Amino acid sequence: ALIEQVFSNLASATIVYDLFGRLVHINDRMSYILKKYEVHPYETDAVDLAATLARMDTSDIRSCIRGIVIDGETFSYPVASLRSEEESYLLHMRPVTREEDESFDRENIPFQILGIMFELYDVSEFKRQVRVKEKFLTIINYRLRNYLQGLTMAFSLTRETTDPAQL
């Protein structure tokens, strides 16, 4: 009960699938987000969910899932915005393994993987900050260019009006 409570209250939206792509557990945050995307997690397997969220071809997603299960790889893709430009997520797919320490045997990966975990990270604030930074840099660039043009024009005018014969 404690583990389920902790899982349900994770900050990231998380869903866990078994090796066959069937849903094992979903936390409240993931349920909420998928409801907004009108995705029914109990009617969708891992491949279909990832293909829907990332708007990728199912064969490409199958290749990713194969990489997760066979090679223990992780993959991250931006989630295609279906509802609002204000919301941005990053889909992170990774294996759930028996051991996360140094004794992790890369040779026997398929036998150490218990399932596949999908996590959605909210990157909306990060993207907003990047847009603010880009806007700021555009304004600064425009103003600096104007000031420098004024300085170069003033310098060229002073060079033209200064006649060496008059000195």
Side-chain angles (χ1 to χ4, degrees):
L2 176 65
I3 300 286
E4 289 178 4
Q5 187 65 29
V6 169
F7 185 79
S8 289
N9 292 319
L10 288 174
S12 65
T14 308
I15 190 167
V16 177
Y17 292 97
D18 65 12
L19 292 176
F20 301 105
R22 296 178 302 216
L23 188 135
V24 174
H25 200 74
I26 183 170
N27 71 355
D28 296 338
R29 185 149 172 76
M30 180 66 88
S31 293
Y32 174 75
I33 291 170
L34 292 181
K35 190 179 291 186
K36 286 196 304 187
Y37 279 75
E38 296 178 3
V39 174
H40 306 287
Y42 292 99
E43 299 170 7
T44 308
D45 65 3
V47 172
D48 291 336
L49 178 65
T52 300
L53 293 176
R55 288 196 182 163
M56 292 177 61
D57 188 58
T58 54
S59 62
D60 294 335
I61 295 297
R62 278 191 179 83
S63 177
C64 292
I65 299 290
R66 191 175 308 113
I68 292 169
V69 173
I70 303 299
D71 299 323
E73 296 178 24
T74 61
F75 296 91
S76 295
Y77 296 104
V79 173
S81 179
L82 298 175
R83 289 285 175 206
S84 167
E85 291 299 319
E86 296 296 318
E87 290 182 342
S88 295
Y89 295 99
L90 181 70
L91 173 63
H92 184 72
M93 304 181 291
R94 66 181 184 90
V96 177
T97 59
R98 292 186 189 280
E99 299 179 21
E100 295 287 336
D101 58 17
E102 291 140 18
S103 66
F104 184 72
D105 184 9
R106 297 279 257 178
E107 297 293 320
N108 296 316
I109 287 177
F111 302 108
Q112 293 182 3
I113 293 181
L114 301 173
I116 303 164
M117 181 180 290
F118 288 4
E119 296 169 290
L120 286 179
Y121 296 109
D122 189 350
V123 293
S124 305
E125 182 62 23
F126 176 74
K127 280 190 162 187
R128 188 192 67 75
Q129 289 176 0
V130 167
R131 283 192 302 269
V132 168
K133 181 188 90 171
E134 288 172 349
K135 185 176 179 181
F136 173 74
L137 290 176
T138 302
I139 292 169
I140 292 297
N141 183 33
Y142 174 76
R143 288 189 178 178
L144 283 176
R145 188 182 65 224
N146 286 345
Y147 291 144
L148 288 175
Q149 283 178 345
L151 286 173
T152 56
M153 187 167 32
F155 180 70
S156 67
L157 286 174
T158 58
R159 288 181 79 198
E160 289 174 6
T161 56
T162 308
D163 185 11
Q166 293 177 341
L167 294 175

